[in-house]
Amino acid sequence: MAGFRSEVDIAVVGAGAAGIGAARRLVDKGSVSVLVLEARDRVGGRVHTIEPAGFPLDRGAEWLHSADRNPLSPMARDLGFSIHRRPPEWTTRLRRSGATIEAEADWIAIREAQGWARRKAAAEPSDRPLASLLPPIGRWHELLDATSTWGNGAELDRVSVKDYVRYEDSGVNWRLREGYGRLFERLADGLPIARDATVSRIDHGGRAIRLETTRGTVTARRIIVTVPTSIIAAEVLRFDPPLPDKLAAAAGLPLGVDDKLFIALSGSLPGVEPDIYLVGSTTSRETMSYQVRPLDRPAIYCFFGGRFAAALEREGEEAMFSFAAGELTRMFGNNIRGQLAPLASTAWQRDPWARGSYSYALPGHAEDRATLAASVDNRLFFAGEATSPNFFSTAHGAYLSGLTAAEAALATVAQN
Ligand SMILES: Cc1cc2nc3c(=O)[nH]c(=O)nc-3n(C[C@H](O)[C@H](O)[C@H](O)COP(=O)(O)OP(=O)(O)OC[C@H]3O[C@@H](n4cnc5c(N)ncnc54)[C@H](O)[C@@H]3O)c2cc1C
């Protein structure tokens, strides 16, 4: 089959952001033969742009986070993508949704206080969950939990303080008008990627590493594994001999759940200007974040996470839409109901090759990222967002981890 070699110097497992980063670096060096094995019939993994209504929608990653430090920003610019630099209106969400300015200021103050408490707690010897830092009673507990599900994919009781504070955020966030997924499609152009090639077993007991795939066996001198932690932890992909440290690290870094529902909006919402954010409720952890007319498009992007998202995934798109339409009509009145229609939705936890959205560390498991990232016998290398020490759970963190793994693998190939 086209693009499929059964013997290579370096095999890369997965063609998401990390796998594309690794493969580009290997191919650019030109000194080794490379094959990327991808289970899906497309590249990009958790970065995926679709166009069901005449404008691009990012099912997964949308924002170039830390855009001023993000290596993908200049690459997108050089490839001719149009970068939208207007900062997201995340901090005016409450007042836009009907809360008073006083309530919004109180909310922002409590968030800042939590930020301080988290950094202080992270310096203590033992790790703890983010939830342990909440005051016993508080007006904003539910909303803090809901925002944790948007940022971490999980509620505060599940997230490690030590890991959480290691994430680096420059506060600059940009978007690509064409869609983040389209950038990765471009970056994958010309790379030796075998699609529909699921890797089920990696036998690294012999001199050559053998990868069993749905398209036959591949042997390689080195491999770079970039699959999500969920795939390693559930042993959808098995190592032989087993790698118990990797299995344990992957289990300590589960993928949280975040999903999107895209709603077509005819006209505009009363009094709402384009490209602003709303929140459905400040008193329930089961609520959605709404991006209204993003980039002036006739749509509302709804974002929701955690146990709530997992439950809605099981119920399906109709339930997602009914929930979102309910929150929006409570804010803007029943008249807007006829302006809304479902366009598309995601179910990342039910996606067999993702099984979730992005990784967080369970309390006590902040060091698992380094364990997962470590190479085995200088022959097996690991990349992917969960291995990033400071940009985990992002597309650029994944991409950078791919570059690092590629350099490390190349250095060992050069040695012998
Ligand atoms: C809803 C949502 C919103 C997000 N928003 C943002 C955002 O705004 N900004 C941001 O930076 N990040 C965001 N992210 C996170 C970002 O998408 C991910 O962190 C990043 O894309 C992960 O890249 P990766 O290469 O590590 O993993 P993946 O993209 O999962 O790539 C791994 C690849 O391995 C393949 N694979 C799996 N199992 C096998 C197997 N057995 N054999 C062969 N191939 C296999 C998969 O199909 C996949 O293509 C978001 C994610 C989601 C889901």
Side-chain angles (χ1 to χ4, degrees), residues 14 16-18 37-40 45-47 60-63 65 197-199 226-228 258 348 353 357-358 384-385 393-395 398:
L37 298 156
E38 168 54 51
R40 301 178 199 265
R46 284 171 272 164
V47 193
E62 172 188 10
W63 292 95
H65 290 311
T198 304
V199 181
T226 75
V227 300
D258 278 290
W348 284 104
W353 306 118
S357 301
Y358 31 85
E385 55 88 7
S393 74
T394 67

PDB file of all heavy atoms in Angstrom, residues 14 16-18 37-40 45-47 60-63 65 197-199 226-228 258 348 353 357-358 384-385 393-395 398, ligand 1:
ATOM      1  N   GLY A  14       1.288   7.639  15.856  1.00  0.00           N
ATOM      2  CA  GLY A  14       0.323   8.730  16.036  1.00  0.00           C
ATOM      3  C   GLY A  14       0.696   9.945  15.206  1.00  0.00           C
ATOM      4  O   GLY A  14       1.840  10.401  15.222  1.00  0.00           O
ATOM      5  N   GLY A  16      -0.860  13.049  15.446  1.00  0.00           N
ATOM      6  CA  GLY A  16      -1.422  14.272  16.017  1.00  0.00           C
ATOM      7  C   GLY A  16      -0.337  15.337  16.034  1.00  0.00           C
ATOM      8  O   GLY A  16       0.691  15.227  15.337  1.00  0.00           O
ATOM      9  N   ALA A  17      -0.531  16.369  16.851  1.00  0.00           N
ATOM     10  CA  ALA A  17       0.439  17.469  16.901  1.00  0.00           C
ATOM     11  C   ALA A  17       1.842  16.967  17.244  1.00  0.00           C
ATOM     12  O   ALA A  17       2.836  17.387  16.631  1.00  0.00           O
ATOM     13  CB  ALA A  17      -0.020  18.501  17.932  1.00  0.00           C
ATOM     14  N   ALA A  18       1.945  16.051  18.206  1.00  0.00           N
ATOM     15  CA  ALA A  18       3.267  15.562  18.620  1.00  0.00           C
ATOM     16  C   ALA A  18       3.914  14.728  17.514  1.00  0.00           C
ATOM     17  O   ALA A  18       5.104  14.896  17.207  1.00  0.00           O
ATOM     18  CB  ALA A  18       3.147  14.729  19.899  1.00  0.00           C
ATOM     19  N   LEU A  37       2.730   5.981  11.868  1.00  0.00           N
ATOM     20  CA  LEU A  37       1.600   5.047  11.848  1.00  0.00           C
ATOM     21  C   LEU A  37       0.420   5.693  12.568  1.00  0.00           C
ATOM     22  O   LEU A  37       0.519   6.017  13.759  1.00  0.00           O
ATOM     23  CB  LEU A  37       2.010   3.740  12.547  1.00  0.00           C
ATOM     24  CG  LEU A  37       3.161   3.014  11.847  1.00  0.00           C
ATOM     25  CD1 LEU A  37       3.908   2.118  12.802  1.00  0.00           C
ATOM     26  CD2 LEU A  37       2.638   2.246  10.639  1.00  0.00           C
ATOM     27  N   GLU A  38      -0.675   5.874  11.863  1.00  0.00           N
ATOM     28  CA  GLU A  38      -1.825   6.601  12.412  1.00  0.00           C
ATOM     29  C   GLU A  38      -3.082   5.734  12.308  1.00  0.00           C
ATOM     30  O   GLU A  38      -3.418   5.253  11.234  1.00  0.00           O
ATOM     31  CB  GLU A  38      -2.011   7.930  11.666  1.00  0.00           C
ATOM     32  CG  GLU A  38      -3.316   8.658  11.937  1.00  0.00           C
ATOM     33  CD  GLU A  38      -3.616   8.913  13.415  1.00  0.00           C
ATOM     34  OE1 GLU A  38      -2.741   9.448  14.113  1.00  0.00           O
ATOM     35  OE2 GLU A  38      -4.719   8.542  13.874  1.00  0.00           O
ATOM     36  N   ALA A  39      -3.780   5.594  13.431  1.00  0.00           N
ATOM     37  CA  ALA A  39      -4.979   4.742  13.466  1.00  0.00           C
ATOM     38  C   ALA A  39      -6.143   5.325  12.654  1.00  0.00           C
ATOM     39  O   ALA A  39      -6.920   4.585  12.046  1.00  0.00           O
ATOM     40  CB  ALA A  39      -5.422   4.539  14.912  1.00  0.00           C
ATOM     41  N   ARG A  40      -6.262   6.644  12.656  1.00  0.00           N
ATOM     42  CA  ARG A  40      -7.401   7.265  11.959  1.00  0.00           C
ATOM     43  C   ARG A  40      -7.145   7.353  10.450  1.00  0.00           C
ATOM     44  O   ARG A  40      -6.014   7.176   9.998  1.00  0.00           O
ATOM     45  CB  ARG A  40      -7.614   8.701  12.455  1.00  0.00           C
ATOM     46  CG  ARG A  40      -7.891   8.836  13.924  1.00  0.00           C
ATOM     47  CD  ARG A  40      -8.032  10.329  14.259  1.00  0.00           C
ATOM     48  NE  ARG A  40      -7.863  10.569  15.673  1.00  0.00           N
ATOM     49  CZ  ARG A  40      -8.858  10.660  16.551  1.00  0.00           C
ATOM     50  NH1 ARG A  40     -10.090  10.526  16.137  1.00  0.00           N
ATOM     51  NH2 ARG A  40      -8.616  10.878  17.835  1.00  0.00           N
ATOM     52  N   GLY A  45      -5.222  14.307  14.929  1.00  0.00           N
ATOM     53  CA  GLY A  45      -5.683  13.810  16.232  1.00  0.00           C
ATOM     54  C   GLY A  45      -6.689  14.745  16.874  1.00  0.00           C
ATOM     55  O   GLY A  45      -7.761  15.002  16.304  1.00  0.00           O
ATOM     56  N   ARG A  46      -6.321  15.277  18.039  1.00  0.00           N
ATOM     57  CA  ARG A  46      -7.257  16.135  18.787  1.00  0.00           C
ATOM     58  C   ARG A  46      -7.269  17.585  18.285  1.00  0.00           C
ATOM     59  O   ARG A  46      -7.848  18.456  18.916  1.00  0.00           O
ATOM     60  CB  ARG A  46      -6.916  16.073  20.282  1.00  0.00           C
ATOM     61  CG  ARG A  46      -7.373  14.779  20.942  1.00  0.00           C
ATOM     62  CD  ARG A  46      -6.838  14.663  22.363  1.00  0.00           C
ATOM     63  NE  ARG A  46      -5.540  14.037  22.430  1.00  0.00           N
ATOM     64  CZ  ARG A  46      -4.732  14.086  23.478  1.00  0.00           C
ATOM     65  NH1 ARG A  46      -5.103  14.759  24.548  1.00  0.00           N
ATOM     66  NH2 ARG A  46      -3.546  13.471  23.448  1.00  0.00           N
ATOM     67  N   VAL A  47      -6.639  17.828  17.157  1.00  0.00           N
ATOM     68  CA  VAL A  47      -6.802  19.118  16.467  1.00  0.00           C
ATOM     69  C   VAL A  47      -7.481  18.783  15.136  1.00  0.00           C
ATOM     70  O   VAL A  47      -6.906  18.092  14.304  1.00  0.00           O
ATOM     71  CB  VAL A  47      -5.451  19.817  16.217  1.00  0.00           C
ATOM     72  CG1 VAL A  47      -5.676  21.268  15.807  1.00  0.00           C
ATOM     73  CG2 VAL A  47      -4.573  19.765  17.446  1.00  0.00           C
ATOM     74  N   GLY A  60     -11.501  20.288  18.151  1.00  0.00           N
ATOM     75  CA  GLY A  60     -10.584  20.189  19.292  1.00  0.00           C
ATOM     76  C   GLY A  60      -9.932  21.532  19.522  1.00  0.00           C
ATOM     77  O   GLY A  60     -10.619  22.545  19.699  1.00  0.00           O
ATOM     78  N   ALA A  61      -8.575  21.553  19.482  1.00  0.00           N
ATOM     79  CA  ALA A  61      -7.858  22.802  19.787  1.00  0.00           C
ATOM     80  C   ALA A  61      -8.297  23.921  18.849  1.00  0.00           C
ATOM     81  O   ALA A  61      -8.412  23.729  17.637  1.00  0.00           O
ATOM     82  CB  ALA A  61      -6.357  22.573  19.669  1.00  0.00           C
ATOM     83  N   GLU A  62      -8.519  25.093  19.432  1.00  0.00           N
ATOM     84  CA  GLU A  62      -8.892  26.277  18.663  1.00  0.00           C
ATOM     85  C   GLU A  62      -7.883  27.405  18.899  1.00  0.00           C
ATOM     86  O   GLU A  62      -7.517  28.127  17.966  1.00  0.00           O
ATOM     87  CB  GLU A  62     -10.284  26.760  19.117  1.00  0.00           C
ATOM     88  CG  GLU A  62     -10.675  28.098  18.511  1.00  0.00           C
ATOM     89  CD  GLU A  62     -11.955  28.681  19.104  1.00  0.00           C
ATOM     90  OE1 GLU A  62     -12.441  28.150  20.127  1.00  0.00           O
ATOM     91  OE2 GLU A  62     -12.453  29.669  18.547  1.00  0.00           O
ATOM     92  N   TRP A  63      -7.409  27.545  20.153  1.00  0.00           N
ATOM     93  CA  TRP A  63      -6.600  28.695  20.528  1.00  0.00           C
ATOM     94  C   TRP A  63      -5.116  28.385  20.459  1.00  0.00           C
ATOM     95  O   TRP A  63      -4.664  27.343  20.957  1.00  0.00           O
ATOM     96  CB  TRP A  63      -6.935  29.132  21.964  1.00  0.00           C
ATOM     97  CG  TRP A  63      -8.315  29.690  22.087  1.00  0.00           C
ATOM     98  CD1 TRP A  63      -9.442  29.007  22.454  1.00  0.00           C
ATOM     99  CD2 TRP A  63      -8.720  31.034  21.814  1.00  0.00           C
ATOM    100  NE1 TRP A  63     -10.524  29.857  22.425  1.00  0.00           N
ATOM    101  CE2 TRP A  63     -10.107  31.095  22.048  1.00  0.00           C
ATOM    102  CE3 TRP A  63      -8.037  32.187  21.402  1.00  0.00           C
ATOM    103  CZ2 TRP A  63     -10.837  32.276  21.873  1.00  0.00           C
ATOM    104  CZ3 TRP A  63      -8.760  33.350  21.239  1.00  0.00           C
ATOM    105  CH2 TRP A  63     -10.140  33.384  21.473  1.00  0.00           C
ATOM    106  N   HIS A  65      -2.583  28.999  22.394  1.00  0.00           N
ATOM    107  CA  HIS A  65      -2.327  29.507  23.746  1.00  0.00           C
ATOM    108  C   HIS A  65      -0.876  29.975  23.838  1.00  0.00           C
ATOM    109  O   HIS A  65      -0.015  29.491  23.097  1.00  0.00           O
ATOM    110  CB  HIS A  65      -2.586  28.411  24.784  1.00  0.00           C
ATOM    111  CG  HIS A  65      -4.040  28.068  24.936  1.00  0.00           C
ATOM    112  ND1 HIS A  65      -5.023  29.012  25.100  1.00  0.00           N
ATOM    113  CD2 HIS A  65      -4.676  26.864  24.948  1.00  0.00           C
ATOM    114  CE1 HIS A  65      -6.200  28.412  25.208  1.00  0.00           C
ATOM    115  NE2 HIS A  65      -6.020  27.107  25.114  1.00  0.00           N
ATOM    116  N   ALA A 197      -3.633   2.759  10.164  1.00  0.00           N
ATOM    117  CA  ALA A 197      -2.596   1.817  10.620  1.00  0.00           C
ATOM    118  C   ALA A 197      -2.534   1.867  12.144  1.00  0.00           C
ATOM    119  O   ALA A 197      -1.733   2.583  12.733  1.00  0.00           O
ATOM    120  CB  ALA A 197      -1.244   2.178  10.005  1.00  0.00           C
ATOM    121  N   THR A 198      -3.436   1.103  12.758  1.00  0.00           N
ATOM    122  CA  THR A 198      -3.499   1.059  14.229  1.00  0.00           C
ATOM    123  C   THR A 198      -2.388   0.167  14.758  1.00  0.00           C
ATOM    124  O   THR A 198      -2.241  -0.968  14.312  1.00  0.00           O
ATOM    125  CB  THR A 198      -4.859   0.475  14.676  1.00  0.00           C
ATOM    126  OG1 THR A 198      -5.889   1.249  14.087  1.00  0.00           O
ATOM    127  CG2 THR A 198      -4.983   0.469  16.181  1.00  0.00           C
ATOM    128  N   VAL A 199      -1.635   0.659  15.709  1.00  0.00           N
ATOM    129  CA  VAL A 199      -0.589  -0.161  16.331  1.00  0.00           C
ATOM    130  C   VAL A 199      -1.180  -0.800  17.582  1.00  0.00           C
ATOM    131  O   VAL A 199      -1.690  -0.098  18.463  1.00  0.00           O
ATOM    132  CB  VAL A 199       0.643   0.701  16.696  1.00  0.00           C
ATOM    133  CG1 VAL A 199       1.724  -0.169  17.325  1.00  0.00           C
ATOM    134  CG2 VAL A 199       1.167   1.437  15.470  1.00  0.00           C
ATOM    135  N   THR A 226       3.396   8.575  20.528  1.00  0.00           N
ATOM    136  CA  THR A 226       2.745   9.868  20.829  1.00  0.00           C
ATOM    137  C   THR A 226       1.257   9.706  21.140  1.00  0.00           C
ATOM    138  O   THR A 226       0.530  10.688  21.154  1.00  0.00           O
ATOM    139  CB  THR A 226       2.890  10.859  19.652  1.00  0.00           C
ATOM    140  OG1 THR A 226       1.996  10.470  18.597  1.00  0.00           O
ATOM    141  CG2 THR A 226       4.297  10.918  19.105  1.00  0.00           C
ATOM    142  N   VAL A 227       0.810   8.478  21.373  1.00  0.00           N
ATOM    143  CA  VAL A 227      -0.640   8.275  21.572  1.00  0.00           C
ATOM    144  C   VAL A 227      -1.081   8.866  22.913  1.00  0.00           C
ATOM    145  O   VAL A 227      -0.270   9.044  23.820  1.00  0.00           O
ATOM    146  CB  VAL A 227      -1.005   6.767  21.516  1.00  0.00           C
ATOM    147  CG1 VAL A 227      -0.623   6.176  20.171  1.00  0.00           C
ATOM    148  CG2 VAL A 227      -0.351   5.989  22.650  1.00  0.00           C
ATOM    149  N   PRO A 228      -2.372   9.176  23.063  1.00  0.00           N
ATOM    150  CA  PRO A 228      -2.859   9.720  24.346  1.00  0.00           C
ATOM    151  C   PRO A 228      -2.634   8.744  25.505  1.00  0.00           C
ATOM    152  O   PRO A 228      -2.572   7.522  25.296  1.00  0.00           O
ATOM    153  CB  PRO A 228      -4.363   9.916  24.100  1.00  0.00           C
ATOM    154  CG  PRO A 228      -4.545   9.918  22.626  1.00  0.00           C
ATOM    155  CD  PRO A 228      -3.447   9.078  22.051  1.00  0.00           C
ATOM    156  N   ASP A 258     -13.705  17.383  27.692  1.00  0.00           N
ATOM    157  CA  ASP A 258     -14.251  18.670  27.268  1.00  0.00           C
ATOM    158  C   ASP A 258     -14.853  18.491  25.895  1.00  0.00           C
ATOM    159  O   ASP A 258     -14.269  17.825  25.040  1.00  0.00           O
ATOM    160  CB  ASP A 258     -13.162  19.761  27.235  1.00  0.00           C
ATOM    161  CG  ASP A 258     -12.937  20.332  28.614  1.00  0.00           C
ATOM    162  OD1 ASP A 258     -13.827  21.040  29.099  1.00  0.00           O
ATOM    163  OD2 ASP A 258     -11.898  20.023  29.225  1.00  0.00           O
ATOM    164  N   TRP A 348     -15.513  13.566  22.650  1.00  0.00           N
ATOM    165  CA  TRP A 348     -14.108  13.151  22.672  1.00  0.00           C
ATOM    166  C   TRP A 348     -13.866  11.945  23.569  1.00  0.00           C
ATOM    167  O   TRP A 348     -12.965  11.157  23.308  1.00  0.00           O
ATOM    168  CB  TRP A 348     -13.208  14.325  23.078  1.00  0.00           C
ATOM    169  CG  TRP A 348     -13.028  15.311  21.965  1.00  0.00           C
ATOM    170  CD1 TRP A 348     -13.621  16.541  21.845  1.00  0.00           C
ATOM    171  CD2 TRP A 348     -12.227  15.156  20.781  1.00  0.00           C
ATOM    172  NE1 TRP A 348     -13.231  17.150  20.671  1.00  0.00           N
ATOM    173  CE2 TRP A 348     -12.389  16.325  19.997  1.00  0.00           C
ATOM    174  CE3 TRP A 348     -11.397  14.130  20.297  1.00  0.00           C
ATOM    175  CZ2 TRP A 348     -11.729  16.498  18.770  1.00  0.00           C
ATOM    176  CZ3 TRP A 348     -10.753  14.302  19.083  1.00  0.00           C
ATOM    177  CH2 TRP A 348     -10.923  15.476  18.338  1.00  0.00           C
ATOM    178  N   TRP A 353      -9.867   6.782  19.522  1.00  0.00           N
ATOM    179  CA  TRP A 353      -8.430   7.057  19.441  1.00  0.00           C
ATOM    180  C   TRP A 353      -8.018   8.248  20.279  1.00  0.00           C
ATOM    181  O   TRP A 353      -6.869   8.660  20.271  1.00  0.00           O
ATOM    182  CB  TRP A 353      -7.995   7.232  17.976  1.00  0.00           C
ATOM    183  CG  TRP A 353      -8.413   6.054  17.171  1.00  0.00           C
ATOM    184  CD1 TRP A 353      -9.273   6.028  16.114  1.00  0.00           C
ATOM    185  CD2 TRP A 353      -8.059   4.692  17.419  1.00  0.00           C
ATOM    186  NE1 TRP A 353      -9.471   4.745  15.690  1.00  0.00           N
ATOM    187  CE2 TRP A 353      -8.730   3.908  16.457  1.00  0.00           C
ATOM    188  CE3 TRP A 353      -7.235   4.042  18.354  1.00  0.00           C
ATOM    189  CZ2 TRP A 353      -8.607   2.513  16.412  1.00  0.00           C
ATOM    190  CZ3 TRP A 353      -7.117   2.662  18.312  1.00  0.00           C
ATOM    191  CH2 TRP A 353      -7.797   1.922  17.345  1.00  0.00           C
ATOM    192  N   SER A 357     -10.118  14.330  26.330  1.00  0.00           N
ATOM    193  CA  SER A 357      -9.782  15.593  25.662  1.00  0.00           C
ATOM    194  C   SER A 357      -8.349  16.038  25.906  1.00  0.00           C
ATOM    195  O   SER A 357      -7.593  16.256  24.974  1.00  0.00           O
ATOM    196  CB  SER A 357     -10.765  16.672  26.113  1.00  0.00           C
ATOM    197  OG  SER A 357     -12.074  16.262  25.779  1.00  0.00           O
ATOM    198  N   TYR A 358      -7.973  16.239  27.160  1.00  0.00           N
ATOM    199  CA  TYR A 358      -6.571  16.537  27.463  1.00  0.00           C
ATOM    200  C   TYR A 358      -6.231  16.097  28.881  1.00  0.00           C
ATOM    201  O   TYR A 358      -7.117  15.927  29.708  1.00  0.00           O
ATOM    202  CB  TYR A 358      -6.191  17.998  27.223  1.00  0.00           C
ATOM    203  CG  TYR A 358      -7.268  19.036  27.417  1.00  0.00           C
ATOM    204  CD1 TYR A 358      -7.526  19.561  28.660  1.00  0.00           C
ATOM    205  CD2 TYR A 358      -7.997  19.509  26.321  1.00  0.00           C
ATOM    206  CE1 TYR A 358      -8.496  20.542  28.833  1.00  0.00           C
ATOM    207  CE2 TYR A 358      -8.974  20.488  26.481  1.00  0.00           C
ATOM    208  CZ  TYR A 358      -9.219  20.993  27.747  1.00  0.00           C
ATOM    209  OH  TYR A 358     -10.176  21.952  27.906  1.00  0.00           O
ATOM    210  N   GLY A 384       3.898  13.693  23.146  1.00  0.00           N
ATOM    211  CA  GLY A 384       2.452  13.892  23.316  1.00  0.00           C
ATOM    212  C   GLY A 384       2.229  14.925  24.402  1.00  0.00           C
ATOM    213  O   GLY A 384       3.085  15.140  25.259  1.00  0.00           O
ATOM    214  N   GLU A 385       1.055  15.568  24.356  1.00  0.00           N
ATOM    215  CA  GLU A 385       0.808  16.683  25.283  1.00  0.00           C
ATOM    216  C   GLU A 385       1.060  16.315  26.737  1.00  0.00           C
ATOM    217  O   GLU A 385       1.556  17.142  27.505  1.00  0.00           O
ATOM    218  CB  GLU A 385      -0.607  17.242  25.086  1.00  0.00           C
ATOM    219  CG  GLU A 385      -1.783  16.268  25.196  1.00  0.00           C
ATOM    220  CD  GLU A 385      -2.327  16.085  26.595  1.00  0.00           C
ATOM    221  OE1 GLU A 385      -1.886  16.807  27.491  1.00  0.00           O
ATOM    222  OE2 GLU A 385      -3.186  15.203  26.778  1.00  0.00           O
ATOM    223  N   SER A 393      -1.455  19.580  27.906  1.00  0.00           N
ATOM    224  CA  SER A 393      -2.867  19.762  27.506  1.00  0.00           C
ATOM    225  C   SER A 393      -3.063  20.745  26.349  1.00  0.00           C
ATOM    226  O   SER A 393      -4.190  21.159  26.083  1.00  0.00           O
ATOM    227  CB  SER A 393      -3.761  20.126  28.708  1.00  0.00           C
ATOM    228  OG  SER A 393      -3.565  21.452  29.116  1.00  0.00           O
ATOM    229  N   THR A 394      -1.984  21.074  25.660  1.00  0.00           N
ATOM    230  CA  THR A 394      -2.126  21.985  24.509  1.00  0.00           C
ATOM    231  C   THR A 394      -1.519  21.378  23.238  1.00  0.00           C
ATOM    232  O   THR A 394      -0.690  20.459  23.308  1.00  0.00           O
ATOM    233  CB  THR A 394      -1.399  23.323  24.752  1.00  0.00           C
ATOM    234  OG1 THR A 394       0.012  23.081  24.798  1.00  0.00           O
ATOM    235  CG2 THR A 394      -1.851  23.981  26.037  1.00  0.00           C
ATOM    236  N   ALA A 395      -1.890  21.985  22.116  1.00  0.00           N
ATOM    237  CA  ALA A 395      -1.361  21.534  20.829  1.00  0.00           C
ATOM    238  C   ALA A 395       0.115  21.917  20.685  1.00  0.00           C
ATOM    239  O   ALA A 395       0.916  21.132  20.170  1.00  0.00           O
ATOM    240  CB  ALA A 395      -2.179  22.141  19.697  1.00  0.00           C
ATOM    241  N   ALA A 398       2.251  19.624  22.764  1.00  0.00           N
ATOM    242  CA  ALA A 398       2.400  18.345  22.080  1.00  0.00           C
ATOM    243  C   ALA A 398       3.441  18.463  20.966  1.00  0.00           C
ATOM    244  O   ALA A 398       4.340  17.625  20.831  1.00  0.00           O
ATOM    245  CB  ALA A 398       1.055  17.901  21.507  1.00  0.00           C
TER     246      ALA A 398
HETATM  247  C1  LIG B   1     -12.383  20.066  22.961  1.00  0.00           C
HETATM  248  C2  LIG B   1     -10.913  20.368  22.977  1.00  0.00           C
HETATM  249  C3  LIG B   1     -10.480  21.676  23.000  1.00  0.00           C
HETATM  250  C4  LIG B   1      -9.110  21.971  23.012  1.00  0.00           C
HETATM  251  N1  LIG B   1      -8.710  23.262  22.948  1.00  0.00           N
HETATM  252  C5  LIG B   1      -7.397  23.539  22.828  1.00  0.00           C
HETATM  253  C6  LIG B   1      -6.964  24.864  22.519  1.00  0.00           C
HETATM  254  O1  LIG B   1      -7.782  25.775  22.346  1.00  0.00           O
HETATM  255  N2  LIG B   1      -5.623  25.081  22.404  1.00  0.00           N
HETATM  256  C7  LIG B   1      -4.697  24.071  22.543  1.00  0.00           C
HETATM  257  O2  LIG B   1      -3.491  24.330  22.403  1.00  0.00           O
HETATM  258  N3  LIG B   1      -5.084  22.807  22.808  1.00  0.00           N
HETATM  259  C8  LIG B   1      -6.418  22.505  22.939  1.00  0.00           C
HETATM  260  N4  LIG B   1      -6.813  21.222  23.104  1.00  0.00           N
HETATM  261  C9  LIG B   1      -5.813  20.186  23.390  1.00  0.00           C
HETATM  262  C10 LIG B   1      -5.046  19.721  22.137  1.00  0.00           C
HETATM  263  O3  LIG B   1      -5.953  19.432  21.115  1.00  0.00           O
HETATM  264  C11 LIG B   1      -4.238  18.468  22.496  1.00  0.00           C
HETATM  265  O4  LIG B   1      -3.469  18.681  23.672  1.00  0.00           O
HETATM  266  C12 LIG B   1      -3.246  18.076  21.385  1.00  0.00           C
HETATM  267  O5  LIG B   1      -3.847  18.163  20.138  1.00  0.00           O
HETATM  268  C13 LIG B   1      -2.735  16.660  21.650  1.00  0.00           C
HETATM  269  O6  LIG B   1      -1.823  16.287  20.643  1.00  0.00           O
HETATM  270  P1  LIG B   1      -1.065  14.886  20.749  1.00  0.00           P
HETATM  271  O7  LIG B   1      -0.259  14.734  19.538  1.00  0.00           O
HETATM  272  O8  LIG B   1      -0.415  14.780  22.079  1.00  0.00           O
HETATM  273  O9  LIG B   1      -2.230  13.786  20.801  1.00  0.00           O
HETATM  274  P2  LIG B   1      -3.335  13.406  19.698  1.00  0.00           P
HETATM  275  O10 LIG B   1      -3.785  14.612  18.990  1.00  0.00           O
HETATM  276  O11 LIG B   1      -4.363  12.594  20.392  1.00  0.00           O
HETATM  277  O12 LIG B   1      -2.530  12.516  18.666  1.00  0.00           O
HETATM  278  C14 LIG B   1      -2.277  11.147  18.886  1.00  0.00           C
HETATM  279  C15 LIG B   1      -2.586  10.398  17.607  1.00  0.00           C
HETATM  280  O13 LIG B   1      -2.377   9.001  17.858  1.00  0.00           O
HETATM  281  C16 LIG B   1      -3.386   8.287  17.179  1.00  0.00           C
HETATM  282  N5  LIG B   1      -3.507   6.966  17.822  1.00  0.00           N
HETATM  283  C17 LIG B   1      -4.117   6.643  18.986  1.00  0.00           C
HETATM  284  N6  LIG B   1      -3.963   5.343  19.235  1.00  0.00           N
HETATM  285  C18 LIG B   1      -3.247   4.823  18.217  1.00  0.00           C
HETATM  286  C19 LIG B   1      -2.762   3.508  17.923  1.00  0.00           C
HETATM  287  N7  LIG B   1      -2.993   2.484  18.738  1.00  0.00           N
HETATM  288  N8  LIG B   1      -2.059   3.334  16.766  1.00  0.00           N
HETATM  289  C20 LIG B   1      -1.801   4.385  15.925  1.00  0.00           C
HETATM  290  N9  LIG B   1      -2.251   5.640  16.165  1.00  0.00           N
HETATM  291  C21 LIG B   1      -2.950   5.853  17.312  1.00  0.00           C
HETATM  292  C22 LIG B   1      -4.623   9.156  17.322  1.00  0.00           C
HETATM  293  O14 LIG B   1      -5.572   8.859  16.331  1.00  0.00           O
HETATM  294  C23 LIG B   1      -4.031  10.557  17.157  1.00  0.00           C
HETATM  295  O15 LIG B   1      -4.068  10.993  15.812  1.00  0.00           O
HETATM  296  C24 LIG B   1      -8.176  20.907  23.043  1.00  0.00           C
HETATM  297  C25 LIG B   1      -8.611  19.592  22.998  1.00  0.00           C
HETATM  298  C26 LIG B   1      -9.974  19.315  22.953  1.00  0.00           C
HETATM  299  C27 LIG B   1     -10.411  17.878  22.854  1.00  0.00           C
END
